Structures are given as structure tokens and as C-alpha cells.
Amino acid sequence: MRNRSTRVQATEAVHDAHDDANRLGLATAPPELLQVLVADDSTAARAGIKRAIEPHGLHVVAEAMNADDAVRMAVAHEPDVCIIAVDLPGSGVEVARAVKQALPDMKIVMMSATARDEELIEALRAGADGYLLMSTPASRLPHAIRGVTRGEAALGREMTARLILEFRERGMRRRVVVHPDRAEVELTAREFEVFQRLRRHEGTAQIASRLGISQVTVRRHVASVLRKLGAPNRRRAIEMLEHVDPDDSNLR
């Protein structure tokens, strides 16, 4: 059940501020009051979010510092929007998944300090309605939060571009003939790119940084290629693919 007294007090505060502005001839219609849960283990981050959104009719009804508390508070308060840090202790993505299962209409905006492709995809699959970087300007945050309640996706320009690229690459396949037995295998564009970088003697950490993915994801791509090629290790896989022209556009 929502905390009705808290909602009433917050509503009165919004309308009092609107009345003051109205007397000065500055007001339009007061914004609809929205309740927000903020889940981040950083006290400074939670305070920063509150400062950015509360002057705009977005009232923080609960704050959580870990995954368990975030799920419990979301169910107890049923806010309009949950703002959840991806790296929340216990997994912010798991909070999003659990909250969406319990409250399918709840709007969820994930926030992350880094732009990682796999984090973005995982968060959206868990049910998130938005994914913003911590570096998002404070002035944009209230508009993004209100947007998700209207059915809009809260994604920064950079993350939108990365999402489009990720889905485009996942839909592309490269058919390669493997040396020496001439067998044909099919690799994703990202798998092929990872191995092209391995051929250039780039390490796992360097590849992850260049592609904007985690080292775990790089290793997952490598393992997938080894399985498809039937290769025992990276060196053998590189030998099997060394004849393939990286500029060959045999994609579909």
C-alpha cells in the first residue's frame, strides 16, 4: 500500500510552490506528482538524484542501498518509477527483473557509470524502460523519468547508437571456410571482429576496452568461436582463420 500521508505532504509541497510562482505570474499548470524509488549504495549519488528531480514534481519516497531492500521497498511503496544503479550490491539488473515480475507496470530506469553494451542489453531484457549514464546532465533527468511514464524509452544518444549497432551486428553472420579441411562455419560479426583483434595480438583487456564490452564478454565470444571451429585453444583458432580476408563482405 502506498504511503498516503507522504504522498499528501509531497503533493501539498508541489502545489504550494506552484501557488508561489502563480503569484509572481510565472506558473503554468502544476506537474503531476510522481513517486520515485532511488536504489544506489552511494549516499552522494542518491542525494544528487534527489536534488535533480524533486524540484520538478518527482518525490523520492524510498531509498535503497542493496538489491534486497530495493525489491522490498518497490513492492511496499509501489512508486511510479524506480531508478536503479546497475552496480547496486546484489545486482541492479536482478532488481529490475524481480520488480517487473512482481509489478509489471512499474517503470524502471537503470543508471550506470560506464557504457557497456552487454549491461545495456541485459538491463533491457530484464524489463528496464531506460538506461542512463551517471554523467547524464541533471537538467535532463526529470524529463527522462517523466518520459518513461508516458511510454518513452529513456536512453542517451550514445546508448541509443550502441543499441542499434549491437542489434545490427547480432543480426549479421559471416560464413567462413576453415583451413585446412575447408569446412564452412558461421560466425557473428562480433565474434569475427574479436578474432581479428586477437590476430593483431591485442589482449582481452584491450579488446574489451576498444569494443566497449567487458572482458567476460570477450571470453564468451572466444569460447563460442572455439566451439564452432572445434579448436582446442585460441592459437589454433587463429591459425584456422588466418587465411580469411577481414575485408571480405560475406555477410548476411
Side-chain angles (χ1 to χ4, degrees), residues 95-228:
V95 172
R97 184 172 289 111
V99 170
K100 277 292 186 178
Q101 289 176 351
L103 301 164
D105 294 331
M106 181 78 67
K107 300 300 182 182
I108 296 175
V109 176
M110 307 298 297
M111 297 201 71
S112 176
T114 58
R116 295 284 188 181
D117 292 355
E118 73 279 5
E119 285 182 356
L120 169 63
I121 300 301
E122 187 179 8
L124 296 179
R125 284 177 173 168
D129 302 281
Y131 188 103
L132 299 173
L133 296 179
M134 294 293 188
S135 58
T136 299
S139 60
R140 183 174 180 272
L141 195 54
H143 303 290
I145 294 172
R146 285 193 173 277
V148 298
T149 66
R150 298 191 296 265
E152 301 171 7
L155 291 172
R157 293 180 179 178
E158 178 185 357
M159 301 311 295
T160 300
R162 295 172 81 96
L163 182 63
I164 292 172
L165 179 61
E166 179 70 17
F167 275 96
R168 180 183 297 155
E169 289 186 344
R170 289 189 179 203
M172 300 172 72
R173 298 290 185 271
R174 178 185 292 267
R175 293 188 302 275
V176 298
V177 177
V178 179
H179 177 78
D181 60 9
R182 311 298 292 174
E184 185 178 89
V185 298
E186 187 174 81
L187 306 180
T188 67
R190 179 55 60 87
E191 288 170 348
F192 190 80
E193 183 176 15
V194 166
F195 261 83
Q196 287 303 313
R197 292 184 178 278
L198 286 174
R199 286 173 61 182
R200 295 197 291 269
H201 306 291
E202 294 182 17
T204 298
Q206 186 178 7
I207 295 172
S209 176
R210 288 183 180 277
L211 298 183
I213 59 179
S214 71
Q215 294 185 47
V216 172
T217 300
V218 172
R219 295 188 186 100
R220 188 160 57 241
H221 287 311
V222 170
S224 176
V225 174
L226 294 182
R227 184 180 66 256
K228 291 178 180 180

